[in-house]
Amino acid sequence: MTNRNMTKENQPLSPAKISSALNSDENTEKQTTESSFEQFIEAMKACRHCQKDFGFEPRPIQWGNPDAKIVLVSQAPGQKVHDLGKPFSDLSGKKLRQKWFYVTEEQFYNPSNFYFSMAGHCFPGKTSKGSDRKPPKVCWQRWTSQELEYLKQAELFLVIGQEAASRLFPNQKFEDLVFSHQILYGKPCYVLPHPSPLNYRWTKKHPEFEEHWLPEIRQKIYEILDLPQAQMETYRNLKSPQKESWQKGGSQKEC
């Protein structure tokens, strides 16, 4: 028997209203997460913890949206990246885009495609011999380990270089990590050597990386980003590296 005295507040919700309420809760949770992420990034970019050790003002580098499809974890920015404020805006990035990933600058820097995290978010300066210093471990402890917690929804993780790999996969041989499939936060993960032109000895010693593993990694990137196969053929047939936007007016030599 229908209860005519039932108040409007006590009436059961219709399926449509339940769905609307659930979506509202999900949106609120998403907004809260995005807000906390933005606050976290703001705090990270304001960090000057290492200024005394560096001898110059640090410039924390961050790029990408928290919902990016692919997360790339590398070592630390170089001098060029420090100056421009954009990750991989150097010869290493050029090789990564044109020779390894076969993606355009626009695709690479689309914040919904790639998120760039690092073992150290600032250029750490040079050693007395002129090479880049290793990133201070405090940056990973204070920032990167927390940053990655916001990025677990990514479809693919790419770890670039031994320094970053040692933080995520401690006590494991680098070559073993490169030449086997990894899982990070429950998602597929590949460990890659650093694309720096100075690292040519490693790739020369391990030709199987470029011959067998890069095609698999590249195909995975294309599938996730839904890129046209014709683009892959274009990059595969490149006769020489293309000049990129960060090189305009620059005097750096080609890879």
Side-chain angles (χ1 to χ4, degrees):
M1 187 176 191
T2 304
N3 186 353
R4 297 179 182 274
N5 295 322
M6 181 179 288
T7 63
K8 184 175 182 181
E9 289 78 6
N10 292 330
Q11 290 178 358
L13 292 175
S14 67
K17 289 185 177 180
I18 292 175
S19 176
S20 177
L22 289 174
N23 288 334
S24 177
D25 289 343
E26 290 176 359
N27 289 335
T28 300
E29 182 179 353
K30 182 178 180 181
Q31 290 171 0
T32 300
T33 301
E34 290 176 349
S35 176
S36 61
F37 175 78
E38 290 172 0
Q39 292 170 355
F40 170 80
I41 294 301
E42 184 178 346
M44 185 181 76
K45 287 186 174 182
C47 179
R48 297 295 182 268
H49 180 82
C50 299
Q51 182 162 344
K52 187 177 292 186
D53 294 333
F54 289 174
F56 57 87
E57 184 176 3
R59 185 183 188 180
I61 304 297
Q62 180 272 339
W63 193 281
N65 295 335
D67 60 352
K69 297 174 182 178
I70 301 173
V71 172
L72 195 154
V73 187
S74 59
Q75 179 169 318
Q79 179 71 64
K80 188 79 174 178
V81 174
H82 172 86
D83 294 340
L84 296 176
K86 200 172 185 179
F88 284 103
S89 52
D90 53 18
L91 292 176
S92 296
K94 182 174 179 176
K95 182 175 181 179
L96 201 62
R97 289 182 287 274
Q98 295 190 25
K99 294 186 178 181
W100 285 10
F101 291 176
Y102 290 178
V103 298
T104 66
E105 280 190 274
E106 181 179 9
Q107 292 162 349
F108 191 71
Y109 291 115
N110 182 330
S112 294
N113 286 344
F114 289 92
Y115 185 99
F116 300 90
S117 181
M118 303 153 205
H121 282 269
C122 298
F123 170 57
K126 298 283 187 179
T127 67
S128 58
K129 295 182 178 180
S131 59
D132 289 357
R133 294 174 183 166
K134 288 189 175 183
K137 293 183 178 180
V138 66
C139 190
W140 185 277
Q141 297 163 354
R142 288 169 66 98
W143 303 111
T144 309
S145 59
Q146 297 181 61
E147 179 184 32
L148 292 175
E149 290 294 318
Y150 288 100
L151 306 171
K152 291 182 177 180
Q153 79 297 322
E155 297 179 45
L156 176 67
F157 287 87
L158 300 173
V159 180
I160 310 293
Q162 189 166 359
E163 190 67 29
S166 68
R167 308 292 173 90
L168 291 166
F169 302 99
N171 305 316
Q172 296 192 50
K173 189 177 179 181
F174 183 66
E175 282 75 11
D176 292 341
L177 291 170
V178 172
F179 296 115
S180 59
H181 294 95
Q182 308 303 325
I183 297 293
L184 188 62
Y185 300 117
K187 305 296 176 59
C189 173
Y190 292 96
V191 176
L192 294 78
H194 201 283
S196 168
L198 300 176
N199 199 29
Y200 69 92
R201 288 188 181 89
W202 193 97
T203 49
K204 186 176 181 179
K205 184 179 178 180
H206 303 88
E208 64 271 30
F209 172 72
E210 292 190 343
E211 292 172 2
H212 302 296
W213 283 90
L214 264 184
E216 179 179 325
I217 295 169
R218 193 180 295 132
Q219 185 60 43
K220 189 74 173 177
I221 292 172
Y222 265 62
E223 289 174 0
I224 290 174
L225 301 184
D226 194 25
L227 301 180
Q229 292 297 313
Q231 176 177 310
M232 189 179 292
E233 288 302 314
T234 298
Y235 274 97
R236 186 178 286 120
N237 295 324
L238 275 182
K239 300 299 182 182
S240 59
Q242 297 177 328
K243 192 172 183 179
E244 296 189 334
S245 62
W246 61 272
Q247 292 183 297
K248 291 179 179 178
S251 59
Q252 284 186 293
K253 295 180 180 178
E254 293 287 339
C255 299

